[in-house]
Amino acid sequence: MAVLPILEFPDPRLRTRAEPVVAPDAELRQFVDDMFETMYAANGVGLAATQVNVHRRVLVADMSDDHQQPLALVNPVILETEGSQVYQEGCLSFPGLYADVTRALKVRVKALDVHGKELVVEAEGPLAVCIQHEMDHLDGKVFVDYLSPLKRALLLKRLDKQRRQAASA
């Protein structure tokens, strides 16, 4: 397994729409293992293939503290949503930044597992947020796109300041 480099905003590759996986194979399973390793190494709870510059419709998530609930979704599609929630989101492509985003409270998602078997996942609360967030990445969308222009500008200014401080340290 390998830790992959994570693209950081404003890298234009984060805006690339991912292509469907045609046939899950051993290469895909290895890639998913690498995604999990990358996500865990970065202390994340979700990661989309787009974030590691692979533009295929694959995401991984694990909301558990002990990394015992790994979820990999290939070619995920939201079948239905229910309710609404505001959740403070962060993103490995925006290190150290968080913002309140409104998303569905519950989602029902159809996808393939890494072996090509169809599955349906029903998620609620933080896992539902995570899945929606990662699926946005697969469509070239990032969480700051949900913010008002003013909030987005303030957040991006903070990100720029953090980067300048880190560079001078």
Side-chain angles (χ1 to χ4, degrees):
M1 292 200 298
V3 173
L4 307 169
I6 297 172
L7 301 178
E8 291 188 9
F9 190 83
D11 192 309
R13 296 171 291 182
L14 288 169
R15 296 297 189 176
T16 304
R17 186 171 171 79
E19 297 293 324
V21 172
V22 177
D25 56 15
E27 183 181 323
L28 175 75
R29 288 187 287 280
Q30 179 60 57
F31 173 62
V32 166
D33 287 345
D34 292 345
M35 285 182 65
F36 276 115
E37 186 167 339
T38 302
M39 178 184 75
Y40 294 141
N43 294 316
V45 295
L47 185 68
T50 302
Q51 292 177 274
V52 292
N53 199 31
V54 174
H55 303 286
R56 296 167 70 191
R57 297 191 74 77
V58 178
L59 68 85
V60 298
D62 189 341
M63 303 298 292
S64 68
D65 291 333
D66 57 1
H67 304 164
Q68 294 302 306
Q69 296 173 3
L71 175 67
L73 300 177
V74 178
N75 298 337
V77 175
I78 293 178
L79 299 174
E80 56 187 86
T81 63
E82 184 182 318
S84 174
Q85 65 181 319
V86 176
Y87 196 84
Q88 188 171 73
E89 294 185 28
C91 181
L92 296 176
S93 295
F94 292 79
L97 294 187
Y98 301 88
D100 288 343
V101 177
T102 302
R103 296 199 186 262
L105 175 63
K106 296 180 184 179
V107 293
R108 193 162 170 260
V109 178
K110 179 177 78 169
L112 300 176
D113 69 12
V114 295
H115 301 287
K117 182 177 177 238
E118 190 172 294
L119 60 118
V120 174
V121 175
E122 296 189 19
E124 176 173 354
L127 180 58
V129 168
C130 181
I131 290 171
Q132 292 169 84
H133 176 110
E134 301 311 334
M135 285 182 69
D136 276 350
H137 278 298
L138 300 179
D139 290 327
K141 192 170 185 178
V142 292
F143 82 110
V144 297
D145 295 345
Y146 288 94
L147 305 178
S148 70
L150 176 62
K151 284 185 180 177
R152 183 173 38 252
L154 290 171
L155 203 67
L156 295 179
K157 188 181 262 185
R158 193 175 332 144
L159 179 63
D160 192 46
K161 181 179 178 183
Q162 287 175 353
R163 288 181 175 153
R164 282 195 318 271
Q165 287 174 339
S168 66

